[in-house]
């Protein structure tokens, strides 16, 4: 006997409307093409059935298609909300069962973003799950949204999407020297220099350089005057180069941006947290490398102390950033040594090594965690010069504190050594954490049966070397226990087991990374991360959809698609089965398929023909529109059925 499932049956896909703020340059962001590329990314990378609807004026359009690609709005409609809402509701009821994701763009009726509020309100009250992805290029736009658009519906999910500018020009001095050498070696140096100066003035290159260096230097010396505003914590970040609606030639930044956006739209964002432990955090380098090799994407990063270093280097430079960390472990070690009295040299190096990038400019949001010395609270830094934020995250006493503005910051370890919970708040559906601190090594001791004089024990406790060692080991034990407390917020938790453990021996960073790369604990964590990622890619347990490519009705494992005994002892359809059949019947009745094919599996007596009235009543279809086959499995399973539609 079957019981109705406790998992809700999901019969319709999700609808997401893409809107761009009025301040965005719509001429450089062709939304129709951009949304089509996004839909194609969702189909190819995530295997979701996806459709795009374009909201346009009903003028000079081709005949309607099945399913429709246009929402046709009568010209001159004063308020878009009721018309667009009605059309979306119709599409949701008719076609929601055939798609996982339905993307909507409305630039045809809203070319400059002036009617964003009307379109946003059109999404409220739909039978499909409704969301709005709102594109903007200035953090203040999102903060001022209630003022510019007014009251917005609470039942529509809001996803801020930040449009980043181009990455700042790196290696300015080297670039300048190369260009000057080219000028000197040209046939007419004077003319070449004049052209170069004119071009630099026309493109505001000098102004950009000056502004950039003022911002860098002022932040290194603790000013916040030129620090950019922070993007919303849960914002997706996109960086497009050229025309993003043209997939060829391939532009790597565009590909990565569409991938992150696709995972954001479908609620599959992955966050990686790396704990702080000095050189021991180098276990995070093979951790990230092997996640990449395993096909697990990384959308968000967080870290404390050296864990923040690794996250920011990777977000800024990719694999080259991880290599730079490995090759410069001694440089970092010397910088840490001098940080006993002055951490500005290490701050300069960290800023240079990350190409003087700002955290707000990173496509993969990176959260650098530090502790506010005066209040004991956690500080989550998502904007500001990366090098300065990393220095603050690594300012563990007795090393000097780091000032950002007038806020004195210490290492992130004392308040949040392994920042996993913040990744959940930032929108990650899968959190993968690397806890780098292994258990402290055991120190040999004499058995209790061996008599040791009390004065000897007392002398050992007073030994400065032993006391320093105890303090160091206590640090590790406290940090490790604090990090283990963050396990509850992560689905995958890698616990480092490296035998060569030394937080302070920076020269050993590459050796620690190499040992971690070959450890069974890391291999197990990667396998677990892969499994969780594959689970995210799988349709929801309660999902039901009609796959128009195969004509099969695909039914999630938690849907009870079977029969149950009625009080009078007869067989009847389960509650889930009735819901599914009603939706499939409506799809066929609308003319989108011609018939229903039912495969009865292990049905008990009476004869299969006696079950046919149940299907006719549940679907509302006439008997000739339903065909039946029977199947018996060995070993027998509970009575159930499978469905397909005939085109």
């Amino acid at each position: 006997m079957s019981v109705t499932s406790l998992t809700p049956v999901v019969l319709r896909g999700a609808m997401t409307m893409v809107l761009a703020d009025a301040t965005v340059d719509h001429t450089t962001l062709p939304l129709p093409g951009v949304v089509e590329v996004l839909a194609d990314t969702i189909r190819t990378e995530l295997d979701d059935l996806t459709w795009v609807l374009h909201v346009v004026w009903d003028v000079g359009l081709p005949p309607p298609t099945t399913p429709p690609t246009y929402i046709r709005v009568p010209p001159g409609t004063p308020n878009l909300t009721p018309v667009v809402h009605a059309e979306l509701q119709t599409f949701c009821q008719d076609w929601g069962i055939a798609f996982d994701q339905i993307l909507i763009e409305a630039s045809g009726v809203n070319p400059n973003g002036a009617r964003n509020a009307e379109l946003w309100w059109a999404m409220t009250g739909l039978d499909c799950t409704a969301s709005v992805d709102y594109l903007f290029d200035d953090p203040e736009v999102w903060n001022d949204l209630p003022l510019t658009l007014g009251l917005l519906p609470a039942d529509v999910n809001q996803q801020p999407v930040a449009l980043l500018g181009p990455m700042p020009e790196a290696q300015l001095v080297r670039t300048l020297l190369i260009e000057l050498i080219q000028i000197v070696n040209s046939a007419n140096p004077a003319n070449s220099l004049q052209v170069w100066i004119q071009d630099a003035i026309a493109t505001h290159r000098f102004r950009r350089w000056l502004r950039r260096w003022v911002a860098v230097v002022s932040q290194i010396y603790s000013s916040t005057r030129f620090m950019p505003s922070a993007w919303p914590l849960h914002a997706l970040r996109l960086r497009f180069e050229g025309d993003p609606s043209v997939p060829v030639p391939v532009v790597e930044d565009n590909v990565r941006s569409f991938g992150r956006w696709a995972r954001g739209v479908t609620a599959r964002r992955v966050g990686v947290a790396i704990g702080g432990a000095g050189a021991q955090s180098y276990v995070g380098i093979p951790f990230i490398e092997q996640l990449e090799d395993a096909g697990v994407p990384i959308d968000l990063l967080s870290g404390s102390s050296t864990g923040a270093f690794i996250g920011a280097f990777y977000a800024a430079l990719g694999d080259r950033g991880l290599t730079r960390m490995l090759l410069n472990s001694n440089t970092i070690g010397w910088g840490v040594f001098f940080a006993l009295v002055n951490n500005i040299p290490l701050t300069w190096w960290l800023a240079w090594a990350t190409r003087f990038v700002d955290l707000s400019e990173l496509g993969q949001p990176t959260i650098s965690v530090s502790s506010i010395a005066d209040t004991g609270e956690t500080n989550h830094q998502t904007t500001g010069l990366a090098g300065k934020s990393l220095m603050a995250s690594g300012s563990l006493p007795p090393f000097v504190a780091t000032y950002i503005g007038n806020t004195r910051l210490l290492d992130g370890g004392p308040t949040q050594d392994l920042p996993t919970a913040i990744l959940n708040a930032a929108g990650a559906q899968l959190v993968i954490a690397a806890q780098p601190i292994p258990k402290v090594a055991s120190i040999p001791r004499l058995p209790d049966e061996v008599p040791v004089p009390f004065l000897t024990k007392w002398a050992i406790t007073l030994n400065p070397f032993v006391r320093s060692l105890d303090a160091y080991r206590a640090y590790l034990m406290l940090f490790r226990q604090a990090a283990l407390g963050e396990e509850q917020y992560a689905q995958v938790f890698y616990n480092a087991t490296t035998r060569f453990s030394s937080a302070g021996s920076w020269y050993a960073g590459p050796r620690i990374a190499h040992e971690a790369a070959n450890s069974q604990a890391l291999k197990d964590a990667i396998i677990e991360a892969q499994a969780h990622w594959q689970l995210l890619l799988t349709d929801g347990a309660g999902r039901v959809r009609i796959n128009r490519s195969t004509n099969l009705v695909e039914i999630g494992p938690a849907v009870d698609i079977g029969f149950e005994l009625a009080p009078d002892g007869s067989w009847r359809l389960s509650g889930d089965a009735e819901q599914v059949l009603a939706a499939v019947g409506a799809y066929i009745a609308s003319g989108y398929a011609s018939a229903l094919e039912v495969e009865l599996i292990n049905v008990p007596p009476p004869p299969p023909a006696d079950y046919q009235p149940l299907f006719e009543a549940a679907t509302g279809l006439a008997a000739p529109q339903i065909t039946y086959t029977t199947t018996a499995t060995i070993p027998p399973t509970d009575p159930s059925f499978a469905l397909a539609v005939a085109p």
Side-chain angles (χ1 to χ4, degrees):
M1 181 188 296
S2 177
V3 237
T4 300
S5 169
L6 298 177
T7 302
V9 178
V10 181
L11 295 169
R12 296 181 177 90
M15 280 187 163
T16 301
M17 180 175 282
V18 179
L19 298 174
D21 189 73
T23 58
V24 172
D25 184 358
H26 289 66
T27 60
T28 60
L29 189 71
L31 275 184
V34 167
V35 174
E36 289 288 356
V37 175
L38 172 62
D40 191 57
T41 304
I42 294 173
R43 293 186 198 105
T44 55
E45 293 189 9
L46 305 176
D47 199 27
D48 277 7
L49 302 179
T50 308
W51 195 254
V52 178
L53 289 172
H54 301 276
V55 184
V56 295
W57 298 119
D58 192 5
V59 177
L61 297 176
T65 58
T66 302
T69 55
Y70 295 112
I71 290 179
R72 301 162 185 255
V73 180
T77 300
N79 184 359
L80 297 175
T81 300
V83 177
V84 176
H85 172 82
E87 292 294 326
L88 290 178
Q89 180 70 345
T90 300
F91 188 94
C92 177
Q93 292 172 343
D94 291 351
W95 291 101
I97 195 170
F99 298 106
D100 299 308
Q101 306 294 332
I102 302 154
L103 305 181
I104 307 139
E105 72 83 23
S107 60
V109 297
N110 184 38
N112 56 9
R115 308 186 78 167
N116 282 341
E118 296 172 43
L119 291 162
W120 202 314
W121 274 100
M123 299 293 288
T124 187
L126 297 175
D127 289 344
C128 293
T129 302
S131 303
V132 168
D133 276 23
Y134 198 75
L135 281 61
F136 56 98
D137 55 12
D138 184 341
E140 296 305 322
V141 167
W142 185 259
N143 299 333
D144 295 339
L145 215 55
L147 299 177
T148 56
L149 296 187
L151 182 66
L152 296 172
D155 65 331
V156 178
N157 299 321
Q158 304 175 4
Q159 176 60 66
V161 181
L163 298 173
L164 305 179
M167 280 291 277
E169 193 173 350
Q171 311 296 349
L172 297 184
V173 175
R174 187 176 68 181
T175 302
L176 180 60
L177 288 174
I178 291 172
E179 292 179 353
L180 290 178
I181 290 171
Q182 291 173 342
I183 290 172
V184 170
N185 293 331
S186 66
N188 189 343
N191 184 62
S192 298
L193 180 61
Q194 183 179 359
V195 171
W196 182 84
I197 293 174
Q198 289 173 348
D199 179 70
I201 294 173
T203 59
H204 305 292
R205 196 177 184 190
F206 288 149
R207 186 186 304 174
R208 289 200 309 272
W209 283 359
L210 179 61
R211 187 185 298 123
R212 187 75 185 174
W213 279 105
V214 168
V216 166
V217 174
S218 64
Q219 289 188 65
I220 284 180
Y221 291 97
S222 303
S223 172
T224 57
R225 181 175 179 183
F226 298 98
M227 181 184 293
S229 299
W231 299 109
L233 180 64
H234 61 301
L236 293 166
R237 297 186 190 178
L238 311 179
R239 172 173 285 112
F240 292 133
E241 181 181 327
D243 185 349
S245 65
V246 179
V248 179
V250 175
V251 179
E252 197 58 37
D253 267 348
N254 295 359
V255 172
R256 286 194 292 263
S257 291
F258 278 117
R260 288 195 300 271
W261 196 1
R263 292 187 290 275
V265 168
T266 61
R268 293 183 173 108
R269 298 177 78 190
V270 180
V272 171
I274 304 174
Q280 187 62 33
S281 291
Y282 271 61
V283 300
I285 293 176
F287 184 61
I288 289 177
E289 291 173 337
Q290 293 188 27
L291 283 174
E292 273 191 337
D293 293 342
V296 179
I298 300 175
D299 299 300
L300 304 150
L301 292 140
S302 68
S304 170
S305 193
T306 314
F309 291 17
I310 292 169
F313 272 63
Y314 174 71
L317 302 171
D319 293 337
R320 287 178 298 149
L322 302 180
T323 303
R324 180 167 283 185
M325 284 288 295
L326 285 171
L327 296 178
N328 290 277
S329 58
N330 282 335
T331 304
I332 298 173
W334 280 109
V336 169
F337 174 76
F338 284 112
L340 284 166
V341 292
N342 184 3
N343 63 20
I344 292 298
L346 182 55
T347 304
W348 269 108
W349 185 87
L350 290 170
W352 169 83
T354 52
R355 293 189 171 178
F356 299 101
V357 73
D358 194 283
L359 290 178
S360 65
E361 295 167 334
L362 297 174
Q364 293 162 296
T366 302
I367 304 167
S368 176
V369 178
S370 52
S371 305
I372 302 175
D374 297 329
T375 64
E377 297 175 346
T378 305
N379 177 57
H380 297 115
Q381 197 82 21
T382 59
T383 188
L385 187 67
K388 189 68 172 181
S389 300
L390 298 182
M391 190 65 259
S393 185
S395 296
L396 179 67
F399 303 102
V400 296
T402 298
Y403 274 93
I404 295 182
N406 292 329
T407 304
R408 188 162 56 96
L409 298 169
L410 304 176
D411 190 284
T415 54
Q416 198 172 58
D417 189 59
L418 184 57
T420 54
I422 190 64
L423 290 175
N424 289 311
Q429 282 75 36
L430 170 59
V431 175
I432 305 171
Q435 194 289 106
I437 311 173
K439 294 177 68 174
V440 294
S442 298
I443 298 175
R445 64 182 183 88
L446 293 173
D448 290 340
E449 292 77 14
V450 177
V452 178
F454 173 76
L455 290 177
T456 302
K457 297 176 182 177
W458 184 45
I460 292 173
T461 60
L462 294 179
N463 185 314
F465 173 78
V466 173
R467 296 180 72 173
S468 299
L469 181 62
D470 286 345
Y472 170 71
R473 288 164 61 85
Y475 247 137
L476 294 180
M477 288 184 275
L478 285 171
F479 276 50
R480 186 172 191 274
Q481 286 305 117
L484 291 175
E486 295 286 320
E487 183 175 1
Q488 59 185 314
Y489 304 111
Q491 286 77 31
V492 180
F493 197 81
Y494 161 50
N495 230 331
T497 57
T498 46
R499 288 169 297 175
F500 186 87
S501 173
S502 177
S505 300
W506 288 93
Y507 69 88
R511 178 178 170 183
I512 292 170
H514 177 74
E515 184 184 345
N518 296 288
S519 68
Q520 189 60 45
L522 181 54
K523 293 175 183 176
D524 291 343
I526 298 301
I527 292 171
E528 188 180 358
Q530 269 186 305
H532 278 276
W533 171 240
Q534 290 302 318
L535 190 62
L536 267 185
L537 291 177
T538 306
D539 293 328
R543 179 72 173 115
V544 176
R545 69 181 186 181
I546 296 173
N547 190 324
R548 297 170 60 245
S549 298
T550 63
N551 295 318
L552 296 177
V553 180
E554 299 173 350
I555 299 171
V559 180
D560 176 29
I561 192 82
F563 305 90
E564 60 189 19
L565 282 173
D568 62 1
S570 63
W571 288 98
R572 67 184 182 189
L573 294 167
S574 68
D576 286 1
E578 289 189 341
Q579 285 188 66
V580 173
L581 287 168
V584 175
Y587 180 86
I588 296 171
S590 298
Y592 307 134
S594 60
L596 175 64
E597 300 170 357
V598 180
E599 180 187 6
L600 296 169
I601 303 170
N602 298 327
V603 291
D610 291 354
Y611 289 89
Q612 295 178 10
L614 298 177
F615 288 89
E616 293 166 16
T619 60
L621 300 175
Q625 289 181 282
I626 309 177
T627 61
Y628 301 89
T629 58
T630 58
T631 300
T633 63
I634 299 174
T637 58
D638 287 341
S640 63
F641 56 88
L643 302 173
V645 297

